[in-house]
Amino acid sequence: MAQIEQSDKGGKKKKGAQKKMSIHVDFTPMVDMNMLLITFFMLCTTMIKSQTLNISLPSNEKVEQEQQNKAKESQALTLILDTERDADGNVKTDPETGKPAHVIYYYFGKPDIADENKDGLLDNSILKAEKFVGNVNGQEQGIRKILHDKNKTVLEKIAVLKKDWKDKKINDDEYQARAKEIRNDSLIQDRPVVIIKAGPNASWESLIGALDEMQINQISRYQIDNINGVDSAMIFDYIAKNPKK
């Protein structure tokens, strides 16, 4: 509330001089009103929903876990994530891409390792290595091309569906529902089952990159597993046979 106070200081005043008035504004009601407004907006405003990546976590049920681990050898694809580090443990930079030096070892089907040869190395040739490259000139490269070719049938069907969505023949909800049906269609025989394994040197960035590739390539069946002794032996054998220049 504003109050007007008359200033009447001691001393003689000149004849005809105007009286000086001082205005005092009380801001207490304004503070109360601001608090009410803040409370109103907090209760009525819709907060921004965080964009999160949905990850299919393993179940505690033994039966579900056994069904999840069952896959045809022709559909299985294993990715083993690794990150090159220096002596201090810092992530190296790939000189070709200028990005962190992540390596993705992969193999199809089951690991098939024979006995050691005369050089003390495992007789294995199924393990290969790629990088996170993405698209170059509109074409898939690196591990993205491997995953794209493995899930080619699903991607082709979704590409046709996406064209109908762009032409506004179907709405967003219908597109999402039908795309989900295609990703989970059991009649598509060549749908891959991807097992992602993180090595001891792998960074969180490489794991997030692998999960992003699952979303980009419309792969619905994948799981995160632990690296084992056979995987480590295969990587050691690959590095020994393919030394860096």
Side-chain angles (χ1 to χ4, degrees):
M1 180 181 294
Q3 298 177 353
I4 301 176
E5 297 178 355
Q6 181 176 349
S7 177
D8 187 12
K9 297 182 180 179
K12 295 181 178 180
K13 294 183 179 180
K14 295 181 179 180
K15 187 177 180 180
Q18 296 181 352
K19 296 181 180 179
K20 294 183 179 180
M21 302 291 181
S22 61
I23 300 175
H24 172 70
V25 180
D26 186 4
F27 284 98
T28 303
M30 183 66 71
V31 173
D32 294 339
M33 185 178 65
N34 288 337
M35 292 301 297
L36 290 174
L37 288 173
I38 292 173
T39 304
F40 171 78
F41 286 121
M42 289 178 62
L43 295 176
C44 298
T45 302
T46 302
M47 306 303 291
I48 298 176
K49 296 181 180 179
S50 60
Q51 299 290 333
T52 57
L53 180 64
N54 294 325
I55 301 176
S56 300
L57 297 177
S59 173
N60 292 327
E61 295 295 333
K62 184 177 180 181
V63 175
E64 293 181 3
Q65 186 67 28
E66 289 177 354
Q67 292 178 351
Q68 191 178 32
N69 290 334
K70 289 182 180 179
K72 294 181 180 179
E73 187 173 354
S74 60
Q75 297 174 337
L77 171 60
T78 302
L79 306 181
I80 306 176
L81 310 178
D82 192 19
T83 302
E84 296 182 0
R85 300 178 181 271
D86 57 21
D88 297 328
N90 299 318
V91 178
K92 293 183 178 180
T93 301
D94 190 336
E96 296 180 0
T97 62
K99 299 179 180 179
H102 300 305
V103 182
I104 306 97
Y105 301 98
Y106 70 96
Y107 62 87
F108 300 99
K110 297 180 180 179
D112 184 15
I113 300 180
D115 297 331
E116 293 183 359
N117 56 26
K118 62 181 181 179
D119 297 326
L121 300 177
L122 297 174
D123 189 11
N124 163 57
S125 59
I126 67 170
L127 189 70
K128 298 179 182 179
E130 276 294 351
K131 301 176 182 179
F132 291 117
V133 181
N135 291 2
V136 178
N137 296 326
Q139 296 295 324
E140 298 81 10
Q141 300 293 332
I143 196 62
R144 182 171 298 178
K145 177 174 174 54
I146 303 300
L147 296 170
H148 181 276
D149 294 344
K150 192 65 177 175
N151 202 33
K152 189 174 182 179
T153 303
V154 171
L155 290 171
E156 288 177 349
K157 290 178 175 292
I158 292 181
V160 175
L161 184 64
K162 186 177 290 185
K163 185 178 184 301
D164 292 340
W165 172 71
K166 288 182 178 179
D167 294 339
K168 297 183 178 181
K169 295 180 180 179
I170 57 176
N171 56 32
D172 293 347
D173 294 337
E174 188 176 358
Y175 168 76
Q176 295 295 339
R178 292 175 60 180
K180 184 178 180 180
E181 291 178 359
I182 294 173
R183 289 193 296 267
N184 298 324
D185 189 357
S186 59
L187 297 179
I188 301 177
Q189 298 297 324
D190 57 350
R191 286 190 309 142
V193 178
V194 182
I195 302 174
I196 304 172
K197 300 183 178 183
N201 292 327
S203 65
W204 281 105
E205 183 181 3
S206 64
L207 180 59
I208 297 300
L211 295 176
D212 285 342
E213 293 297 334
M214 298 300 108
Q215 303 296 323
I216 293 171
N217 292 282
Q218 304 290 338
I219 296 175
S220 61
R221 299 190 298 175
Y222 62 90
Q223 69 178 39
I224 301 174
D225 204 350
N226 296 322
I227 192 171
N228 54 38
V230 175
D231 299 325
S232 300
M234 293 172 65
I235 293 175
F236 177 79
D237 172 63
Y238 180 89
I239 295 175
K241 290 181 179 179
N242 301 273
K244 288 192 173 183
K245 298 179 182 180

